[in-house]
Amino acid sequence: MARKLKLEELGRIDIETFKETEKIPLIVVLDNVRSMHNVGAAFRTADAFLIEKIILCGITPQPPHREIHKAALGATESVTWEYEEDVKSTIKKLQEDDFIVCGIEQTTDSVLLTDFEINKDKKYALVLGNEVDGISDEIVSDCDVLLEIPQLGTKHSLNVSVCGGIVMWEFAKALGL
């Protein structure tokens, strides 16, 4: 009969080992994400999938903060992160460093995530936007590709932390998790 594993049975690595472990070539950019819970959830997911780095932009709250830590459960200590005020210049820098910038947004030109071919030999940056407005209007056309998660129900969007988890998982699988 199945039983839940105890924490000590999971074989998790410590923070120092995590920092030395090779990461998948994926950066997550949070563009004006308001909720500290969503920021913490992004850190926790980034830790789970060995994401290279998170870049917090605009009004996105930064650690340390009690509300971020509640959702992150310590991942703000393991995942590399930085703050950049301007998302537009952040996107440009990433492109100059040969990252393919993928905006996660529903647009007239978006590609379904299920139809997008992730190339294992490339580096990617995922831009996740504000809970109400999505990614900033001024960067939609700056993204190399706009990706959309297929949705079949009555709602037209997902919570940004749920969206981030889905997209990070798809990229992590394809890039070598």
Side-chain angles (χ1 to χ4, degrees):
M1 175 168 11
R3 69 173 177 78
K4 291 180 6 180
L5 293 174
K6 296 178 181 172
L7 286 178
E8 56 271 9
E9 293 177 290
L10 295 175
R12 299 292 187 231
I13 59 177
D14 60 28
I15 291 173
E16 288 177 25
T17 305
F18 180 92
K19 289 193 175 285
E20 295 170 5
T21 301
E22 185 177 351
K23 308 299 184 291
I24 65 168
L26 183 66
I27 291 177
V28 174
V29 178
L30 299 183
D31 174 22
N32 290 305
V33 171
R34 298 174 304 164
S35 163
M36 291 190 209
H37 171 79
N38 286 334
V39 172
F43 271 94
R44 192 165 165 189
T45 305
D47 176 278
F49 300 142
L50 290 173
I51 303 303
E52 186 175 319
K53 176 171 47 174
I54 292 179
I55 303 174
L56 310 171
C57 294
I59 65 166
T60 306
Q62 304 163 53
H65 194 283
R66 185 174 154 266
E67 291 301 310
I68 294 172
H69 290 294
K70 270 201 309 195
L73 292 179
T76 56
E77 305 302 317
S78 56
V79 175
T80 299
W81 68 274
E82 63 186 54
Y83 173 78
E84 295 288 340
E85 185 174 339
D86 183 54
V87 70
K88 191 169 185 74
S89 63
T90 299
I91 299 299
K92 185 160 183 59
K93 284 184 216 168
L94 287 165
Q95 289 167 328
E96 289 169 358
D97 289 337
D98 297 322
F99 280 85
I100 297 170
V101 176
C102 305
I104 312 305
E105 189 62 79
Q106 298 167 334
T107 73
T108 56
D109 293 331
S110 57
V111 175
L112 291 178
L113 180 59
T114 51
D115 294 338
F116 182 69
E117 188 174 331
I118 301 166
N119 183 333
K120 197 172 182 141
D121 298 323
K122 302 284 184 180
K123 302 184 299 184
Y124 294 92
L126 305 176
V127 183
L128 300 168
N130 178 278
E131 293 85 348
V132 174
D133 299 321
I135 63 174
S136 301
D137 289 341
E138 68 267 13
I139 66 156
V140 169
S141 61
D142 294 337
C143 294
D144 297 307
V145 65
L146 297 158
L147 299 175
E148 171 179 346
I149 298 171
Q151 297 173 57
L152 306 174
T154 62
K155 300 301 173 197
H156 65 278
S157 67
L158 295 166
N159 176 281
V160 67
S161 66
V162 172
C163 174
I166 292 168
V167 178
M168 282 188 250
W169 169 241
E170 288 299 322
F171 276 80
K173 285 190 311 184
L175 295 173
L177 181 71

